[in-house]
Amino acid sequence: MEKTSAVEGARSPMQMKLGGEMEGNTNTLRTAETFLRLLPVGLCVSALVLMLKNSQQNQYGSVDYTDLGAFKYLVHANGICAGYSLFSAVIAAMPRPSTMPRAWTFFLLDQVLTYIILAAGAVSTEVLYLAEKGNTDTTWSSACGSFGRFCNKVTASVTITFVAVLCYVLLSLISSYKLFTKYDAPAECRPTASIEVAAFPG
């Protein structure tokens, strides 16, 4: 007991202040990370529901999101990302010390999920562009003139998906920071001992 008190007394006010600031920064980073992991849950679910309920039928025919593979991939990608975001937010909110395996796991999964959701948004954007503009070289006429409501819902779903992509980019940066700050900076190449040079008579 006396030893502990002596150690605490030996700590300078500057050391105690720095320790408090580091703990505060850690709590702030954990709170920001948890929020960023929860936010894509609502975004991905919204984009998923919009696409799942997206179909239109009129005198020109009928169209459904299942008719196009890109939109089905968008639904699956948003579902996977929503589930991962919820699970990772629960893990990130726990006040446990970040170990190296945990940091590597978050880093790798964040990278993979970022590319999955980015690919889903990019492919769906390309299909939506073709539906809006058509392609004269392949005699593919614009479809959004006949199925405007369908295209509007696709646009909303893709836009929400790209907002989720931004959240995942930020998460990737945070997980990268938390991982690579665990590694020590490379030591400077400096001589540890003086080298004695023999003096020869001239």
Side-chain angles (χ1 to χ4, degrees), residues 65-76:
Y65 85 94
T66 56
D67 297 332
L68 295 164
F71 297 157
K72 289 194 292 185
Y73 174 57
L74 186 74
V75 169
H76 294 153

Side-chain angles (χ1 to χ4, degrees), residues 90-119:
V90 173
I91 301 299
M94 296 179 179
R96 295 180 178 177
S98 180
T99 60
M100 188 66 76
R102 177 178 172 179
W104 268 109
T105 301
F106 271 122
F107 171 75
L108 293 175
L109 290 178
D110 287 346
Q111 296 291 325
V112 171
L113 270 295
T114 300
Y115 286 115
I116 287 177
I117 195 71
L118 176 61

Side-chain angles (χ1 to χ4, degrees), residues 141-153:
S141 60
S142 173
C144 288
S146 303
F147 300 97
R149 181 165 55 85
F150 178 83
C151 289
N152 289 337
K153 286 190 175 182

Side-chain angles (χ1 to χ4, degrees), residues 175-187:
S175 58
S176 300
Y177 170 79
K178 292 179 70 174
L179 172 63
F180 292 112
T181 51
K182 291 184 175 297
Y183 290 94
D184 295 330

Side-chain angles (χ1 to χ4, degrees), residues 11 14-30 177 181:
R11 294 179 61 186
M14 180 63 70
Q15 289 176 327
M16 296 177 66
K17 181 179 179 181
L18 289 175
E21 288 179 354
M22 290 179 63
E23 185 177 355
N25 291 337
T26 301
N27 293 334
T28 302
L29 184 62
R30 183 187 301 118
Y177 170 79
T181 51

